[in-house]
Amino acid sequence: MQLKNDLLIKAAKGENPERTPVWLMRQAGRILPEYRAVRESVSGFIELAQTPELAAEVTIQPVDLLGVDAAIIFSDILVIPEAMGLPYEMVEKRGPWFPSTVNSASDLKKLRVADGVDDLSYVIEAIKITKKALNGRVPLIGFAGAPWTIFAYMVEGSGSKTFSKARAMLYTEPELSHKLLQMITDSTINYLKAQIDAGANLVQIFDSWAGILSPEQYGIFSLPYISQICDAITSVPKTVFAKGAFFAREEMSKLKCETIGLDWNMGIAESRKMIGSDKTLQGNLDPAALYGNEKQVEKATNDMMEQFRGSRHIANLGHGVYPDINPEMVKIFIETVKKFK
Ligand SMILES: Cc1c2[nH]c(c1CCC(=O)O)Cc1[nH]c(c(CCC(=O)O)c1C)Cc1[nH]c(c(CCC(=O)O)c1C)Cc1[nH]c(c(C)c1CCC(=O)O)C2
């Protein structure tokens, strides 16, 4: 299927798109009343994610309603632990929670390497339905969590400010940590390959908890596993977004990926210098800028675009859009990027 809008793919490959493409991390769900209406028709997030027709519907909503240049499949990074044998629940207003966690070698024995097609067939089905419905209008982004971020949830059992249990394990049980990280990595490679076979045009790896590791620990327990994933996926462009990993930008430029995501704490000119000109940069407006009024959002967006001018860029926020942002301000962000000359 030929893409009618391939700006994202061109930008990722450094092929001079006619204008800068724009999409938002966490654009599916969260901010749209149309999403909440679908969400209320089922028992909760997990049922929605596991019902391929509905997952496809909410994946396409931001393309229709906001005018973004890409869709991202509606799912969650935590489907990987579940496929490995560690199920999660999504607790209303609190976030993910794992009834059991990984603390010992015997816990690890109960897990398996997930097979992308069989264990995550509902995501694969949702991708196929989405691709058909999109009919080439925009590219579809597939995604997975980075092994370290997935490890953090599997060991901690929930979100946390410090993830101190997960970080402790890296010091007290380094061998066990590496074994679990390798199982997550192998599962993630299988999963991303299955997403690509089903039609994903680009994949993004979210290392949301990169920033809580020391540079040294990051180099031992996160980057080598992201690097394995980048090496294993060769058929579509890859984006690596490591939130808070300002200290790893130079190292990240060596990854076999086309695009590096920047969060809003990372200076644009300084990041370009560290990463070099052979990669596309994605980002990085502060998501809180969208709390401003129309003029303020326009100005903040234009200021960001100006700093990326003339270099390989995919416009986005520096992290996921916040749930209480007014969709009208998201539209202004998108329109401002599209009009930028
Ligand atoms: C850390 C992380 C998670 N999930 C994800 C990350 C990495 C990105 C990041 O750093 O924000 C990634 C994710 N989660 C979701 C998507 C869908 C696609 C998209 O719109 O980008 C994506 C790409 C849906 C979701 N994932 C979740 C929801 C809300 C569930 C609901 O509808 O109640 C959605 C739409 C739940 C979720 N899932 C997770 C948390 C902490 C929570 C609860 C709080 C929150 O909403 O962010 C784990």
Side-chain angles (χ1 to χ4, degrees), residues 92-103:
E92 203 67 36
K93 298 216 154 55
R94 303 199 59 182
W97 183 72
F98 288 84
S100 45
T101 56
V102 184
N103 295 298

Side-chain angles (χ1 to χ4, degrees), residues 269-290:
E270 146 203 315
S271 299
R272 179 54 80 192
K273 226 186 225 159
M274 289 172 143
I275 295 168
S277 55
D278 311 336
K279 291 219 190 301
T280 300
L281 299 181
Q282 175 173 274
N284 75 340
L285 185 68
D286 180 354
L290 302 187

Side-chain angles (χ1 to χ4, degrees), residues 6 53 57 139 207 247 268 293 312:
D6 63 351
E53 292 74 19
E57 182 181 341
D207 204 356
F247 50 79
I268 295 166
N293 63 30
R312 292 171 58 170

Side-chain angles (χ1 to χ4, degrees), residues 26-28 30 35 39 75-77 90 143 206 208 319:
R26 310 298 297 274
Q27 68 188 18
R30 288 198 151 178
Y35 164 76
R39 167 88 159 65
S75 182
D76 199 83
I77 61 169
M90 216 41 109
F143 72 90
F206 288 90
S208 304
H319 198 191

